Amino acid sequence: MTDIRSFEQTGEAGFGDYVALLKPRVMSLVVFTAMVGLLVAPVAVHPMVAFASVLFIALGGGASGALNMWWDADIDRVMKRTQGRPVPSGRVAPEEALGLGLALSGIAVVMLALAANFVAAGLLAFTIFFYAVIYTIWLKRSTPQNIVIGGAAGAFPPMIGWAVATGGVSIESVLMFALIFMWTPPHFWALALFMRNDYGNAGVPMLTVTHGRRVTRNHILGYTLALAPVALVTGITSIGGPIYMGLAIVLNVIFVLGAWRIWRRDEDQAEADGFRVEKKFFRFSLIYLFLHFAGFLAETALRPYGLGGW
Amino acid sequence: MAITIEHEMHKRRFGRNFGVAMVLIAFVALVFGLTLAKVSGGGSIQGFDHTYRPALDQPAAAGGVN
């Protein structure tokens, strides 16, 4: 009699493994920024339409994450940070990740077109294409500027949210895009500084590998200095206001100060304290972006009480 | 007897099927909700006939709001 317990492990994935393919942590950022983009737009959207739209934007983002995991399975296997992902760990077959990514991309784009409009759906389709093809397949392994250009994919969600409400693109949504676009390089390069040899072992041409860690420190400072004016200029548009402006000034002073601290250190100092400054800068970068978008939201939420906006 | 023993694989398979079922139910609910939102356009609807009934417009007309 065959004992079912003697069967070999099949490698069958659980539901959670498929959820993990959609990169839920990245998705949370997509949901938040898309929601802010939608809510701060000057056109009111039915709550059900808003909910469905944000959900399909998140699904589109998740689908591009699955496509990324399908293509990058080989380098994910090498990097410590990504070894536990469903494809490199063998729980999900690469073809399954590809199938799921393509199917969800189609569903997300079509459903967003039906729920909102074709501009938002077109932007979502372009975002998925940009992240999966331009960034993952083409640029990630061919240029140290991969993070800069790839950052555009992560910067689209507030623009899509804005398009859901207004049906178009305007200076405010472009500036929200620019804020995330300029924020991405210092955020990821700080990570690359303290993740040490991970990217190098995987053969990904991160700036730390191709141009050295000194150049990376210079770039972090440069991009942080360029980011500050973008954050402040956004504050004088229709989505900004005194609350946002106050918040942006404080956050950018701290961020530039952090970048300056990273810039003036050398590897020996960083090594000595276990990359304390770099790790602190990386953690703060998450708070930085969250609070900027929370600032936009606060301006809109307080407007009915005569407090938000200029 | 042995065939009834629950293998870890079964748990995962059940979890996956249950998850897919929940996602499908949620999707149906979402499309239904979206349909209501689109059809009503934010106003109230009465779906038992398909003819124009002035009674539905009266409150708005009385209030002077279109």
Side-chain angles (χ1 to χ4, degrees), chain A residues 70-134:
Chain A
W70 157 69
W71 185 263
D72 275 350
D74 56 335
I75 54 175
D76 281 353
R77 231 168 259 132
V78 181
M79 293 202 289
K80 208 168 58 194
R81 188 171 66 89
T82 52
Q83 271 167 356
R85 284 179 174 176
V87 180
S89 65
R91 296 195 302 279
V92 173
E95 300 76 29
E96 274 187 291
L98 172 66
L100 188 77
L102 289 175
L104 292 184
S105 298
I107 291 171
V109 171
V110 170
M111 287 307 294
L112 187 64
L114 295 172
N117 54 62
F118 285 101
V119 177
L123 282 172
L124 180 65
F126 181 71
T127 306
I128 297 169
F129 170 78
F130 195 90
Y131 185 70
V133 179
I134 308 279

Side-chain angles (χ1 to χ4, degrees), chain B residues 34-48:
Chain B
L34 206 52
T35 307
L36 286 186
K38 289 272 180 189
V39 170
S40 68
S44 58
I45 48 167
Q46 294 181 18
F48 55 82

Side-chain angles (χ1 to χ4, degrees), chain A residues 278-298:
Chain A
E278 289 79 3
K279 285 178 181 169
K280 216 167 125 186
F281 181 84
F282 176 76
R283 276 197 301 273
F284 180 75
S285 69
L286 292 165
I287 301 168
Y288 173 96
L289 194 69
F290 174 78
L291 287 182
H292 271 89
F293 278 81
F296 295 136
L297 207 54

Side-chain angles (χ1 to χ4, degrees), chain A residues 16 29 49 64 109 116 138 142 147 155 158 160 162 165 181 196 206 212 214 217 222 231 235 238 242 246 274 288 297:
Chain A
L29 181 75
V49 174
S64 60
V109 171
W138 182 26
S142 61
I147 288 302
I160 305 173
W162 181 277
F181 179 70
R196 306 287 286 144
M206 278 300 264
R214 180 69 256 162
R217 289 174 190 278
S238 74
Y288 173 96
L297 207 54

